[in-house]
Amino acid sequence: MRVLLATSIVLLSFSGYLWGEQPPALPDAGSMTIAPDADATQQLERRQTIDQRMQAESISLDVKGTPLHEFVETLSKQANVPISLDRFALQDKGLSQNAKITIQAKNLSANGVLDLALQKYGLTYVPKGDGIEITSREERDSILHLRSYSLAPLLQDGSGTVGRWQEIITENLGEDSWEALGGPGTVRAFGNSLVVSQTEQVHAEIGSFLDLALKVKQFPNQNYPVQSLPISSSDSAQNQKLAATTLEVEFKNTPLREAIQQLNKSGSVIFQLDEQALNDVGLSPTLPITLSKDQRSIPSILDEILSPHQLTWVCTKQNNLVVITTLDSNCFSEEVRLYPVRDLVWHGLNVETMQQRRFLQDSTRWQADQWSNVAYLKSLRMANIPALPDYQQLDQVIQGTIRPSSWEVLGGPGSLQFVQEIDCVLIKQTPEIHHEIDGLLQQLRQQQTPETTTAFKTQIEKANAEIVSVRYPLLWSSPTDDLDEAGFNNLIRLIYSGTGESRWQLPETSLSFAYRDLVVRQRRDVQQQILSMLIELDLLHPVPKTNPPAQLPPGQYMGGGGGGGFF
């Protein structure tokens, strides 16, 4: 009795202070100003200027057998960026500043020129002070840089949290380089930003991912772009360009290095042999290559000359560069891609506003298979309609049909995570499997027509309008006290007010109590509102299925949601 009276008071005092007190006024936003740290500001601006100069495609060089230190001096002048040599790192690799550099470059970025020139020796470069330092890959991977990433543009519509984006980044980028897995990388949230200490390579992935995430989030529903977007090293646009380019070549026991030089004479693409990777697996860059004379696409040429030697190739995201490397090269074995799937997970519905999203999510929330065991939810579940957005079934389709053993759930290297905040799937897989995923999604899209989308919308509307009865077993604090009529009436008034009193004017609707349970007969969508209110009031706690199997084949470990399916 006393418990219900206390509950009634809480229900009637949601909108203000219990004792009539007025809350204090909030301070004006943005009224505080700062005196900037001039030194820190200048340092940041200098670093940004260096990055811009390194990315500008303004470098043209033609050097052959030039000592490394002379090459660095020339490039430094052209790029207007200080470039130094890490002599200790060079000594550790048995190199000197006189290592010979041969490169032809026209209108490339300084980043691209360094990639081409240094890869042969297993060297790379890192930011240092107000310039760039050339060092070894091993040394690069041991140097951590501190950067802050603002997530405000991704959070402005209220979708997602800083913690959620932190989770996405640490679970999908940088592999095992984070502190939770024993690595050196750390990340902490501050306001709407993430402060990250990581290697330059991981920072590049994080920056690329966040840029793409914002771009994809802003994609319009009309003419929605669905092409997958690379986050790591590979470039799909360049792959398409290569497939459309044909060459007529012939090799007869030609050293691989010479064959690559011959391909470079075509002028359309720059080919680079990763000699360090070949040396690491005991292969010589002069191994003989044979290919009969014929007109072939560039991918066909590369596949035919490389696959017999367990070699592969990959397009980088910049500089029209194709790198020939080994299958087990850590740089290119798997790549991370972002797949826009808004059209698929919303089944073609033109979801434009956050209100529409939340309505559909609330309407179909209980469709997931994990809720099928809750008795009072059975009347709320709609036949043959999945939970929206329908990521579960898309997961089943992808991991259950495309090389299931290649996914991490069965011990493979591939991973898949849904980024609901931007209607995307983030997938790490080999280039070959990415190609299969592209093909599968295209098939699904061909089957999704305006007719199927209209039928799906009509099905939801019809199911929401159906009158159903539900008996809610409310969780009162006291299991024995009698409950008074005043307390019941307070809860009834709250439900009427929250759902709209006009909803209760239909003769077939009703709301009453059966001892401690609330019995409601209403439209299914109104029942969804009532259920949400009862959960918020802590009067109801739906419990999903527990103790799922520790590991099932891909496509079976997540619930399928009330039937439905992908067309």
Side-chain angles (χ1 to χ4, degrees), residues 301-543:
I301 293 172
L302 294 174
D303 289 341
E304 289 188 43
I305 66 175
L306 299 178
S307 58
H309 304 282
Q310 299 298 299
L311 298 177
T312 188
W313 58 277
V314 66
C315 296
T316 62
K317 291 181 64 177
Q318 57 183 359
N319 305 312
N320 295 330
L321 179 64
V322 175
V323 178
I324 287 83
T325 187
T326 58
L327 289 174
D328 58 354
S329 168
N330 289 331
C331 296
F332 306 113
S333 56
E334 287 98 27
E335 60 186 31
V336 183
R337 286 178 175 267
L338 201 59
Y339 288 81
V341 292
R342 185 187 305 162
D343 57 320
L344 293 175
V345 298
W346 293 102
H347 285 253
L349 296 175
N350 188 24
V351 180
E352 294 184 322
T353 66
M354 186 57 62
Q355 289 78 7
Q356 290 174 330
R357 286 173 176 266
R358 287 173 179 162
F359 172 75
L360 286 170
Q361 286 176 306
D362 290 343
S363 297
T364 62
R365 174 183 177 184
W366 311 107
Q367 295 299 110
D369 188 57
Q370 69 195 77
W371 302 108
S372 62
N373 64 314
V374 182
Y376 59 86
L377 293 179
K378 291 181 179 179
S379 296
L380 300 185
R381 290 166 60 84
M382 299 175 278
N384 301 317
I385 293 178
L388 295 177
D390 191 4
Y391 290 115
Q392 291 186 350
Q393 290 191 97
L394 187 57
D395 168 76
Q396 292 175 335
V397 169
I398 294 175
Q399 295 199 64
T401 63
I402 296 181
R403 306 196 196 185
S405 62
S406 71
W407 300 95
E408 62 183 354
V409 69
L410 291 182
S415 65
L416 179 153
Q417 181 165 3
F418 295 106
V419 187
Q420 182 173 328
E421 292 78 1
I422 55 174
D423 296 317
C424 283
V425 185
L426 188 62
I427 297 179
K428 183 182 75 171
Q429 267 292 5
T430 63
E432 294 82 3
I433 294 180
H434 277 298
H435 181 71
E436 293 184 35
I437 295 171
D438 281 325
L440 170 63
L441 297 183
Q442 178 60 27
Q443 291 183 52
L444 294 178
R445 289 184 167 108
Q446 287 179 343
Q447 297 169 17
Q448 181 173 267
T449 66
E451 289 74 22
T452 61
T453 300
T454 300
F456 184 64
K457 178 183 177 183
T458 301
Q459 187 179 4
I460 293 178
E461 292 173 340
K462 183 178 179 180
N464 278 333
E466 184 181 358
I467 302 292
V468 295
S469 298
V470 181
R471 180 167 179 158
Y472 298 100
L474 302 185
L475 301 174
W476 305 104
S477 299
S478 171
T480 58
D481 286 351
D482 292 332
L483 307 177
D484 67 349
E485 184 176 353
F488 286 134
N489 289 336
N490 285 336
L491 180 55
I492 289 174
R493 283 197 296 270
L494 186 66
I495 292 174
Y496 282 165
S497 174
T499 59
E501 295 197 11
S502 61
R503 298 277 196 174
W504 302 93
Q505 295 176 359
L506 297 176
E508 58 267 38
T509 64
S510 63
L511 188 154
S512 61
F513 284 91
Y515 188 48
R516 292 171 172 270
D517 294 350
L518 177 66
V519 181
V520 181
R521 182 166 175 77
Q522 251 296 358
R523 285 171 53 107
R524 184 177 274 108
D525 54 357
V526 179
Q527 296 276 18
Q528 300 276 4
Q529 289 180 268
I530 295 171
L531 177 59
S532 296
M533 293 172 66
L534 295 175
I535 293 173
E536 186 176 352
L537 293 169
D538 208 27
L539 292 173
L540 208 57
H541 299 157
V543 179

Side-chain angles (χ1 to χ4, degrees), residues 217-263:
K217 187 180 181 71
Q218 297 171 341
F219 278 171
N221 282 356
Q222 304 305 317
N223 297 318
Y224 178 66
V226 297
Q227 183 176 0
S228 62
L229 303 169
I231 291 171
S232 51
S233 56
S234 179
D235 186 357
S236 58
Q238 181 66 0
N239 276 319
Q240 294 178 357
K241 177 181 177 181
L242 291 178
T245 304
T246 60
L247 298 174
E248 186 178 50
V249 294
E250 180 182 20
F251 302 125
K252 294 182 178 179
N253 291 321
T254 305
L256 176 59
R257 184 185 289 152
E258 293 182 16
I260 299 305
Q261 292 173 353
Q262 185 174 334
L263 290 174

